[in-house]
Amino acid sequence: MVNREDDNRSIYTLPFNLLCLSSLLFCASFNMIIPELPNYLSQMGGAEHKGLIIALFTLTAGISRPFSGKLTDRWGRVPVMAIGSIVCFVCGFLYPILSSVAGFFFLRLVHGFSTGFKPTATAAYIADIVPQNRWGEALGMHGLAFAVGSAIGPAIGSYIAADYGIHNMFYCSSAFALLSILIVIRMSETLPEKQKFSWSMLRINRREIIEWRAVPAGVVTLLSYSGYGVILTLIPDWSDHLGIGNKGLFFTAYTLASLGIRFVSGKVSDRYGRIRVMYVGIVIISISLLLLGLGDSVEGLILGAVVYGIGSGILSPAVNAWTIDLSLPQHRGKAMATMYIALEIGIGGGALLAGYIYRDEISKIPAIFILNSLVIFLAFFYVLRWDIKNKRNR
Protein backbone atom coordinates (compact mmCIF):
# COMPACT_ATOMS: atom_id res chain seq x y z
CA MET A 1 0.00 0.00 0.00
CA VAL A 2 1.14 3.54 -0.74
CA ASN A 3 2.21 5.87 2.05
CA ARG A 4 -0.20 8.79 1.67
CA GLU A 5 2.23 11.13 3.47
CA ASP A 6 4.70 10.80 0.61
CA ASP A 7 2.52 12.31 -2.12
CA ASN A 8 5.36 13.75 -4.19
CA ARG A 9 7.33 10.58 -4.82
CA SER A 10 7.53 9.17 -8.35
CA ILE A 11 4.65 6.99 -9.44
CA TYR A 12 6.90 5.15 -11.90
CA THR A 13 7.87 2.29 -9.63
CA LEU A 14 8.68 -1.22 -10.83
CA PRO A 15 5.20 -2.56 -9.93
CA PHE A 16 3.50 0.30 -11.78
CA ASN A 17 5.70 -0.14 -14.87
CA LEU A 18 5.14 -3.91 -14.90
CA LEU A 19 1.41 -3.37 -14.54
CA CYS A 20 1.43 -1.06 -17.55
CA LEU A 21 3.41 -3.60 -19.60
CA SER A 22 0.99 -6.38 -18.67
CA SER A 23 -1.98 -4.22 -19.66
CA LEU A 24 -0.32 -3.29 -22.96
CA LEU A 25 0.10 -6.95 -23.87
CA PHE A 26 -3.41 -7.79 -22.69
CA CYS A 27 -4.96 -4.97 -24.72
CA ALA A 28 -2.94 -5.89 -27.81
CA SER A 29 -4.12 -9.49 -27.44
CA PHE A 30 -7.86 -8.91 -27.73
CA ASN A 31 -7.59 -5.89 -30.07
CA MET A 32 -5.35 -7.79 -32.46
CA ILE A 33 -8.22 -9.78 -33.91
CA ILE A 34 -10.94 -7.11 -34.07
CA PRO A 35 -10.27 -5.61 -37.54
CA GLU A 36 -10.35 -9.05 -39.17
CA LEU A 37 -13.45 -10.41 -37.45
CA PRO A 38 -16.13 -8.81 -39.69
CA ASN A 39 -14.63 -10.37 -42.82
CA TYR A 40 -13.99 -13.64 -40.97
CA LEU A 41 -17.65 -13.77 -39.97
CA SER A 42 -18.76 -12.99 -43.53
CA GLN A 43 -16.69 -15.91 -44.84
CA MET A 44 -18.55 -18.19 -42.42
CA GLY A 45 -21.91 -16.90 -43.68
CA GLY A 46 -22.82 -14.54 -40.84
CA ALA A 47 -22.41 -11.15 -42.54
CA GLU A 48 -25.82 -9.88 -41.40
CA HIS A 49 -24.83 -10.34 -37.74
CA LYS A 50 -21.72 -8.14 -37.65
CA GLY A 51 -23.18 -5.95 -34.93
CA LEU A 52 -23.02 -8.96 -32.57
CA ILE A 53 -19.23 -9.23 -32.86
CA ILE A 54 -18.76 -6.43 -30.35
CA ALA A 55 -22.15 -6.57 -28.67
CA LEU A 56 -21.76 -10.16 -27.41
CA PHE A 57 -18.23 -9.43 -26.21
CA THR A 58 -19.41 -6.43 -24.22
CA LEU A 59 -22.46 -8.31 -22.90
CA THR A 60 -20.43 -10.83 -20.93
CA ALA A 61 -17.87 -8.17 -20.01
CA GLY A 62 -20.68 -6.17 -18.45
CA ILE A 63 -22.29 -9.18 -16.75
CA SER A 64 -18.97 -10.17 -15.21
CA ARG A 65 -18.24 -6.72 -13.73
CA PRO A 66 -20.17 -7.16 -10.46
CA PHE A 67 -18.35 -10.46 -9.90
CA SER A 68 -14.94 -8.99 -10.75
CA GLY A 69 -15.61 -5.98 -8.53
CA LYS A 70 -16.58 -8.16 -5.54
CA LEU A 71 -13.66 -10.54 -6.08
CA THR A 72 -11.26 -7.60 -6.43
CA ASP A 73 -12.37 -6.19 -3.07
CA ARG A 74 -12.30 -9.59 -1.29
CA TRP A 75 -10.14 -12.17 -3.05
CA GLY A 76 -7.48 -9.77 -4.31
CA ARG A 77 -6.36 -7.64 -7.23
CA VAL A 78 -3.76 -10.05 -8.63
CA PRO A 79 -5.89 -13.21 -9.15
CA VAL A 80 -8.66 -11.19 -10.81
CA MET A 81 -6.16 -9.59 -13.20
CA ALA A 82 -4.77 -13.02 -14.02
CA ILE A 83 -8.22 -14.43 -14.83
CA GLY A 84 -8.74 -11.76 -17.48
CA SER A 85 -5.51 -12.62 -19.28
CA ILE A 86 -6.13 -16.37 -18.99
CA VAL A 87 -9.47 -16.04 -20.81
CA CYS A 88 -7.74 -14.22 -23.70
CA PHE A 89 -5.06 -16.93 -23.82
CA VAL A 90 -7.61 -19.75 -24.07
CA CYS A 91 -9.92 -18.05 -26.58
CA GLY A 92 -7.12 -17.36 -29.04
CA PHE A 93 -6.54 -21.09 -29.43
CA LEU A 94 -10.24 -21.93 -29.73
CA TYR A 95 -11.24 -19.56 -32.57
CA PRO A 96 -9.69 -21.79 -35.29
CA ILE A 97 -11.32 -24.88 -33.72
CA LEU A 98 -14.87 -23.54 -33.24
CA SER A 99 -15.11 -22.31 -36.81
CA SER A 100 -18.89 -22.22 -37.26
CA VAL A 101 -21.03 -19.10 -36.85
CA ALA A 102 -22.50 -20.51 -33.62
CA GLY A 103 -19.06 -21.44 -32.30
CA PHE A 104 -17.71 -18.01 -33.20
CA PHE A 105 -20.44 -16.19 -31.28
CA PHE A 106 -20.01 -18.53 -28.31
CA LEU A 107 -16.35 -17.56 -28.17
CA ARG A 108 -17.19 -13.85 -28.43
CA LEU A 109 -19.36 -14.33 -25.33
CA VAL A 110 -16.59 -16.14 -23.44
CA HIS A 111 -13.90 -13.73 -24.62
CA GLY A 112 -15.82 -10.83 -23.10
CA PHE A 113 -15.05 -12.12 -19.59
CA SER A 114 -11.44 -11.07 -20.14
CA THR A 115 -12.16 -7.34 -20.19
CA GLY A 116 -14.74 -7.86 -17.45
CA PHE A 117 -11.99 -8.89 -15.04
CA LYS A 118 -8.54 -7.45 -15.75
CA PRO A 119 -9.26 -3.67 -16.08
CA THR A 120 -11.41 -3.64 -12.93
CA ALA A 121 -8.70 -5.11 -10.73
CA THR A 122 -5.95 -3.13 -12.45
CA ALA A 123 -7.55 0.23 -11.67
CA ALA A 124 -7.98 -0.76 -8.01
CA TYR A 125 -4.34 -1.91 -7.87
CA ILE A 126 -3.19 1.46 -9.23
CA ALA A 127 -5.24 3.34 -6.65
CA ASP A 128 -3.59 1.20 -3.96
CA ILE A 129 0.02 2.00 -4.95
CA VAL A 130 -0.30 5.64 -6.11
CA PRO A 131 -1.00 8.72 -3.94
CA GLN A 132 -4.52 10.14 -4.32
CA ASN A 133 -3.31 13.44 -5.75
CA ARG A 134 -1.60 11.53 -8.59
CA TRP A 135 -4.48 9.24 -9.58
CA GLY A 136 -5.28 11.19 -12.73
CA GLU A 137 -1.66 11.10 -13.87
CA ALA A 138 -1.26 7.39 -13.03
CA LEU A 139 -4.48 6.32 -14.73
CA GLY A 140 -3.58 8.49 -17.70
CA MET A 141 -0.21 6.76 -18.08
CA HIS A 142 -1.79 3.36 -17.60
CA GLY A 143 -4.32 4.35 -20.24
CA LEU A 144 -1.34 5.15 -22.43
CA ALA A 145 -0.25 1.52 -22.14
CA PHE A 146 -3.75 0.42 -23.12
CA ALA A 147 -3.63 2.87 -26.02
CA VAL A 148 -0.33 1.49 -27.27
CA GLY A 149 -1.80 -2.00 -27.09
CA SER A 150 -4.82 -0.77 -29.05
CA ALA A 151 -2.48 0.61 -31.70
CA ILE A 152 -0.03 -2.23 -32.17
CA GLY A 153 -2.61 -4.99 -31.76
CA PRO A 154 -4.75 -4.29 -34.85
CA ALA A 155 -1.70 -3.42 -36.96
CA ILE A 156 0.10 -6.64 -36.01
CA GLY A 157 -3.07 -8.70 -36.35
CA SER A 158 -3.90 -7.44 -39.84
CA TYR A 159 -0.29 -7.98 -40.96
CA ILE A 160 -0.20 -11.56 -39.66
CA ALA A 161 -3.65 -12.37 -41.10
CA ALA A 162 -2.63 -11.07 -44.54
CA ASP A 163 0.81 -12.72 -44.70
CA TYR A 164 0.50 -15.83 -42.53
CA GLY A 165 -3.21 -16.58 -42.28
CA ILE A 166 -5.94 -15.73 -39.82
CA HIS A 167 -5.35 -18.81 -37.66
CA ASN A 168 -1.81 -17.67 -36.92
CA MET A 169 -3.25 -14.28 -35.97
CA PHE A 170 -5.40 -15.99 -33.32
CA TYR A 171 -2.38 -17.91 -31.99
CA CYS A 172 -0.35 -14.71 -31.79
CA SER A 173 -3.18 -13.18 -29.77
CA SER A 174 -2.84 -16.07 -27.31
CA ALA A 175 0.92 -15.55 -27.08
CA PHE A 176 0.48 -11.89 -26.09
CA ALA A 177 -2.04 -12.90 -23.41
CA LEU A 178 0.38 -15.50 -22.02
CA LEU A 179 3.08 -12.86 -21.59
CA SER A 180 0.56 -10.67 -19.77
CA ILE A 181 -0.22 -13.55 -17.38
CA LEU A 182 3.45 -14.23 -16.62
CA ILE A 183 3.92 -10.62 -15.51
CA VAL A 184 0.78 -10.38 -13.37
CA ILE A 185 1.13 -13.61 -11.39
CA ARG A 186 4.47 -12.48 -9.96
CA MET A 187 3.17 -9.18 -8.61
CA SER A 188 2.59 -8.58 -4.88
CA GLU A 189 -0.99 -8.36 -3.65
CA THR A 190 -2.09 -4.92 -2.41
CA LEU A 191 -5.48 -5.77 -0.89
CA PRO A 192 -5.01 -5.22 2.89
CA GLU A 193 -7.40 -7.93 4.09
CA LYS A 194 -7.26 -10.56 1.39
CA GLN A 195 -9.75 -13.40 1.85
CA LYS A 196 -9.41 -16.99 0.70
CA PHE A 197 -11.52 -17.71 -2.37
CA SER A 198 -14.87 -19.35 -1.73
CA TRP A 199 -17.76 -20.05 -4.08
CA SER A 200 -19.96 -17.82 -1.93
CA MET A 201 -18.05 -14.86 -3.39
CA LEU A 202 -19.81 -15.56 -6.68
CA ARG A 203 -23.22 -14.98 -5.13
CA ILE A 204 -24.20 -11.42 -5.96
CA ASN A 205 -27.10 -9.58 -4.38
CA ARG A 206 -28.58 -6.33 -5.70
CA ARG A 207 -26.54 -4.15 -3.36
CA GLU A 208 -23.29 -5.61 -4.71
CA ILE A 209 -23.95 -4.90 -8.39
CA ILE A 210 -23.73 -1.11 -8.47
CA GLU A 211 -21.69 1.39 -6.46
CA TRP A 212 -24.21 4.23 -6.50
CA ARG A 213 -21.60 6.85 -5.68
CA ALA A 214 -19.95 6.09 -9.03
CA VAL A 215 -23.11 6.25 -11.17
CA PRO A 216 -22.44 9.81 -12.48
CA ALA A 217 -19.13 8.61 -13.92
CA GLY A 218 -20.97 5.62 -15.36
CA VAL A 219 -23.48 7.78 -17.21
CA VAL A 220 -20.73 9.83 -18.83
CA THR A 221 -18.87 6.65 -19.74
CA LEU A 222 -21.94 5.00 -21.28
CA LEU A 223 -22.76 7.94 -23.53
CA SER A 224 -19.22 8.73 -24.60
CA TYR A 225 -18.17 5.13 -25.28
CA SER A 226 -21.13 4.43 -27.54
CA GLY A 227 -18.93 5.93 -30.25
CA TYR A 228 -16.31 3.26 -29.76
CA GLY A 229 -18.91 0.55 -30.34
CA VAL A 230 -19.91 2.24 -33.60
CA ILE A 231 -16.26 2.55 -34.63
CA LEU A 232 -15.41 -1.09 -33.86
CA THR A 233 -18.41 -2.25 -35.91
CA LEU A 234 -18.13 0.03 -38.94
CA ILE A 235 -14.50 1.07 -39.40
CA PRO A 236 -13.29 -2.28 -40.84
CA ASP A 237 -15.88 -2.18 -43.66
CA TRP A 238 -15.48 1.60 -44.07
CA SER A 239 -11.73 1.05 -44.49
CA ASP A 240 -12.44 -1.50 -47.24
CA HIS A 241 -14.77 0.98 -48.92
CA LEU A 242 -12.02 3.61 -48.91
CA GLY A 243 -9.47 1.16 -50.35
CA ILE A 244 -7.33 0.86 -47.21
CA GLY A 245 -5.52 -2.47 -47.17
CA ASN A 246 -4.59 -2.59 -43.47
CA LYS A 247 -7.81 -2.33 -41.48
CA GLY A 248 -5.82 -1.44 -38.38
CA LEU A 249 -4.84 1.97 -39.84
CA PHE A 250 -7.66 3.83 -38.09
CA PHE A 251 -6.81 2.28 -34.72
CA THR A 252 -3.12 3.03 -35.16
CA ALA A 253 -3.79 6.66 -36.10
CA TYR A 254 -6.21 7.32 -33.24
CA THR A 255 -3.93 5.67 -30.69
CA LEU A 256 -0.83 7.54 -31.81
CA ALA A 257 -2.81 10.77 -31.54
CA SER A 258 -3.81 9.92 -27.98
CA LEU A 259 -0.28 9.11 -26.86
CA GLY A 260 1.02 12.65 -26.48
CA ILE A 261 -2.13 14.01 -24.88
CA ARG A 262 -2.18 11.28 -22.24
CA PHE A 263 1.20 12.44 -20.93
CA VAL A 264 -0.45 15.65 -19.75
CA SER A 265 -4.23 15.12 -19.58
CA GLY A 266 -4.14 13.11 -16.35
CA LYS A 267 -1.94 15.71 -14.66
CA VAL A 268 -4.27 18.48 -15.84
CA SER A 269 -7.29 16.74 -14.29
CA ASP A 270 -5.36 16.37 -11.01
CA ARG A 271 -4.61 20.09 -11.03
CA TYR A 272 -7.70 21.75 -12.49
CA GLY A 273 -10.40 19.17 -11.73
CA ARG A 274 -12.05 16.28 -13.52
CA ILE A 275 -15.15 18.21 -14.65
CA ARG A 276 -13.33 20.84 -16.72
CA VAL A 277 -11.26 18.21 -18.47
CA MET A 278 -14.31 16.05 -19.19
CA TYR A 279 -16.10 18.96 -20.89
CA VAL A 280 -13.22 19.31 -23.34
CA GLY A 281 -12.88 15.57 -23.98
CA ILE A 282 -16.59 15.05 -24.66
CA VAL A 283 -16.76 17.91 -27.16
CA ILE A 284 -13.70 16.70 -29.07
CA ILE A 285 -14.96 13.09 -29.27
CA SER A 286 -18.33 14.32 -30.57
CA ILE A 287 -16.56 16.37 -33.25
CA SER A 288 -14.48 13.34 -34.29
CA LEU A 289 -17.62 11.32 -35.11
CA LEU A 290 -18.92 14.25 -37.16
CA LEU A 291 -15.65 14.32 -39.09
CA LEU A 292 -15.88 10.59 -39.80
CA GLY A 293 -19.42 11.06 -41.07
CA LEU A 294 -18.57 14.01 -43.30
CA GLY A 295 -15.23 12.80 -44.65
CA ASP A 296 -15.66 10.14 -47.36
CA SER A 297 -11.92 9.72 -47.99
CA VAL A 298 -8.77 8.20 -46.54
CA GLU A 299 -7.75 11.66 -45.33
CA GLY A 300 -11.14 12.11 -43.66
CA LEU A 301 -10.82 8.77 -41.88
CA ILE A 302 -7.33 9.59 -40.59
CA LEU A 303 -8.42 13.07 -39.46
CA GLY A 304 -11.39 11.59 -37.62
CA ALA A 305 -9.10 9.00 -36.02
CA VAL A 306 -6.64 11.65 -34.85
CA VAL A 307 -9.35 13.85 -33.35
CA TYR A 308 -10.99 10.82 -31.71
CA GLY A 309 -7.64 9.85 -30.21
CA ILE A 310 -7.13 13.32 -28.75
CA GLY A 311 -10.63 13.39 -27.28
CA SER A 312 -10.44 9.93 -25.73
CA GLY A 313 -6.94 10.65 -24.43
CA ILE A 314 -8.35 13.67 -22.59
CA LEU A 315 -11.60 12.14 -21.35
CA SER A 316 -10.62 8.62 -20.27
CA PRO A 317 -8.10 9.41 -17.49
CA ALA A 318 -10.40 12.08 -16.04
CA VAL A 319 -13.44 9.77 -15.92
CA ASN A 320 -11.42 6.91 -14.43
CA ALA A 321 -9.98 9.15 -11.71
CA TRP A 322 -13.42 10.69 -11.09
CA THR A 323 -14.83 7.20 -10.51
CA ILE A 324 -12.29 6.58 -7.75
CA ASP A 325 -12.85 10.10 -6.35
CA LEU A 326 -16.56 9.38 -5.97
CA SER A 327 -16.11 5.99 -4.30
CA LEU A 328 -15.13 4.80 -0.82
CA PRO A 329 -11.69 3.10 -0.43
CA GLN A 330 -13.23 -0.25 0.54
CA HIS A 331 -15.46 -0.21 -2.55
CA ARG A 332 -12.94 0.73 -5.24
CA GLY A 333 -13.36 -2.56 -7.05
CA LYS A 334 -17.15 -2.21 -7.10
CA ALA A 335 -16.89 1.43 -8.21
CA MET A 336 -14.60 0.57 -11.12
CA ALA A 337 -16.90 -2.35 -11.97
CA THR A 338 -19.85 0.06 -12.08
CA MET A 339 -18.02 2.38 -14.44
CA TYR A 340 -16.96 -0.52 -16.65
CA ILE A 341 -20.50 -1.93 -16.74
CA ALA A 342 -21.54 1.42 -18.17
CA LEU A 343 -18.63 1.26 -20.61
CA GLU A 344 -19.71 -2.16 -21.88
CA ILE A 345 -23.33 -1.03 -22.22
CA GLY A 346 -22.15 2.00 -24.17
CA ILE A 347 -19.88 0.04 -26.50
CA GLY A 348 -22.38 -2.80 -26.92
CA GLY A 349 -25.31 -0.47 -27.45
CA GLY A 350 -23.38 1.55 -30.02
CA ALA A 351 -22.35 -1.62 -31.83
CA LEU A 352 -25.88 -3.04 -31.85
CA LEU A 353 -27.41 0.21 -33.09
CA ALA A 354 -24.76 0.57 -35.77
CA GLY A 355 -25.16 -3.04 -36.92
CA TYR A 356 -28.96 -2.79 -36.95
CA ILE A 357 -28.97 0.36 -39.11
CA TYR A 358 -26.01 -0.63 -41.27
CA ARG A 359 -26.99 -4.11 -42.54
CA ASP A 360 -24.05 -4.16 -44.98
CA GLU A 361 -25.17 -0.99 -46.80
CA ILE A 362 -22.06 1.19 -47.04
CA SER A 363 -24.08 4.31 -47.91
CA LYS A 364 -25.58 4.35 -44.40
CA ILE A 365 -22.27 4.56 -42.53
CA PRO A 366 -21.79 8.38 -42.66
CA ALA A 367 -25.27 8.98 -41.21
CA ILE A 368 -24.60 6.51 -38.38
CA PHE A 369 -21.42 8.38 -37.42
CA ILE A 370 -23.25 11.72 -37.40
CA LEU A 371 -26.15 10.33 -35.36
CA ASN A 372 -23.76 8.95 -32.77
CA SER A 373 -21.95 12.28 -32.43
CA LEU A 374 -25.22 13.72 -31.12
CA VAL A 375 -25.60 10.86 -28.64
CA ILE A 376 -22.09 11.50 -27.31
CA PHE A 377 -22.79 15.22 -26.86
CA LEU A 378 -25.58 14.34 -24.42
CA ALA A 379 -22.79 13.52 -21.96
CA PHE A 380 -21.80 17.21 -21.99
CA PHE A 381 -25.25 18.29 -20.81
CA TYR A 382 -25.30 15.57 -18.16
CA VAL A 383 -21.97 16.70 -16.69
CA LEU A 384 -23.14 20.33 -16.80
CA ARG A 385 -26.33 19.44 -14.93
CA TRP A 386 -24.41 17.36 -12.36
CA ASP A 387 -21.88 20.14 -11.81
CA ILE A 388 -24.56 22.78 -11.25
CA LYS A 389 -26.46 20.54 -8.83
CA ASN A 390 -23.29 19.62 -6.94
CA LYS A 391 -22.30 23.27 -6.48
CA ARG A 392 -25.77 24.11 -5.13
CA ASN A 393 -25.50 21.34 -2.54
CA ARG A 394 -22.15 22.46 -1.18
Side-chain angles (χ1 to χ4, degrees):
M1 295 291 291
V2 67
N3 179 0
R4 298 298 180 188
E5 295 179 357
D6 191 10
D7 284 355
N8 293 319
R9 70 180 184 177
S10 174
I11 66 172
Y12 303 105
T13 59
L14 180 60
F16 180 78
N17 292 334
L18 287 175
L19 194 64
C20 288
L21 177 59
S22 175
S23 292
L24 185 156
L25 293 166
F26 169 76
C27 191
S29 172
F30 73 84
N31 274 291
M32 184 178 298
I33 67 176
I34 288 176
E36 300 301 324
L37 292 184
N39 187 54
Y40 183 64
L41 180 60
S42 294
Q43 291 175 357
M44 289 188 292
E48 67 273 21
H49 303 301
K50 289 180 180 178
L52 293 177
I53 292 174
I54 303 302
L56 292 179
F57 184 92
T58 58
L59 174 64
T60 44
I63 291 173
S64 66
R65 297 292 183 184
F67 298 94
S68 66
K70 183 176 181 178
L71 290 171
T72 294
D73 289 334
R74 296 192 183 184
W75 187 28
R77 324 308 196 190
V78 172
V80 176
M81 287 192 288
I83 288 173
S85 295
I86 289 169
V87 171
C88 273
F89 171 71
V90 173
C91 285
F93 278 104
L94 292 180
Y95 278 108
I97 298 173
L98 301 181
S99 55
S100 66
V101 173
F104 173 84
F105 283 133
F106 170 74
L107 280 178
R108 291 308 290 164
L109 279 168
V110 175
H111 209 160
F113 283 103
S114 63
T115 57
F117 275 75
K118 192 172 192 306
T120 302
T122 299
Y125 196 106
I126 290 173
D128 290 342
I129 65 174
V130 171
Q132 183 174 357
N133 69 331
R134 307 285 294 281
W135 281 346
E137 178 185 357
L139 290 167
M141 295 309 297
H142 177 260
L144 181 64
F146 251 80
V148 172
S150 297
I152 66 173
I156 293 172
S158 290
Y159 169 75
I160 293 174
D163 287 19
Y164 300 99
I166 196 163
H167 287 183
N168 285 321
M169 178 196 72
F170 289 130
Y171 298 144
C172 185
S173 172
S174 278
F176 273 59
L178 177 61
L179 293 174
S180 176
I181 298 167
L182 294 176
I183 293 171
V184 166
I185 60 175
R186 299 184 64 84
M187 299 186 71
S188 300
E189 182 56 62
T190 59
L191 183 63
E193 298 180 3
K194 176 177 166 49
Q195 301 175 24
K196 185 178 180 181
F197 175 79
S198 66
W199 291 107
S200 64
M201 291 181 180
L202 300 180
R203 290 200 297 265
I204 302 292
N205 60 49
R206 288 180 298 175
R207 290 174 294 178
E208 294 173 323
I209 296 175
I210 299 294
E211 173 57 44
W212 292 103
R213 291 172 179 265
V215 165
V219 173
V220 174
T221 301
L222 187 155
L223 293 171
S224 59
Y225 271 87
S226 64
Y228 196 54
V230 172
I231 285 169
L232 290 174
T233 302
L234 301 182
I235 285 298
D237 283 3
W238 191 238
S239 298
D240 273 344
H241 167 71
L242 297 175
I244 300 173
N246 190 321
K247 298 172 187 175
L249 177 63
F250 175 92
F251 300 97
T252 301
Y254 109 74
T255 306
L256 291 175
S258 75
L259 295 184
I261 202 70
R262 285 179 183 270
F263 280 106
V264 298
S265 61
K267 293 181 181 180
V268 171
S269 79
D270 286 335
R271 183 171 181 179
Y272 296 104
R274 320 298 186 199
I275 301 299
R276 293 180 181 178
V277 174
M278 288 191 293
Y279 283 141
V280 176
I282 291 167
V283 170
I284 294 176
I285 290 176
S286 183
I287 290 173
S288 72
L289 270 293
L290 277 176
L291 291 173
L292 287 172
L294 298 173
D296 188 4
S297 64
V298 175
E299 293 77 14
L301 180 138
I302 294 175
L303 177 61
V306 169
V307 176
Y308 184 81
I310 293 172
S312 61
I314 292 172
L315 181 63
S316 180
V319 173
N320 288 348
W322 192 38
T323 303
I324 299 175
D325 291 342
L326 293 171
S327 66
L328 299 173
Q330 64 269 32
H331 293 152
R332 282 176 185 161
K334 185 165 69 168
M336 293 308 302
T338 298
M339 189 273 289
Y340 280 119
I341 288 171
L343 181 146
E344 308 300 352
I345 294 173
I347 295 176
L352 275 177
L353 179 62
Y356 177 77
I357 299 174
Y358 173 39
R359 295 180 180 272
D360 262 4
E361 294 184 37
I362 289 292
S363 61
K364 293 182 178 180
I365 288 182
I368 298 172
F369 284 136
I370 294 171
L371 173 64
N372 187 247
S373 73
L374 301 177
V375 173
I376 293 170
F377 201 73
L378 292 176
F380 182 94
F381 293 107
Y382 177 82
V383 174
L384 179 63
R385 180 177 177 275
W386 185 93
D387 194 23
I388 293 173
K389 182 179 179 181
N390 189 55
K391 287 177 179 177
R392 286 176 180 171
N393 293 334
R394 286 178 183 175

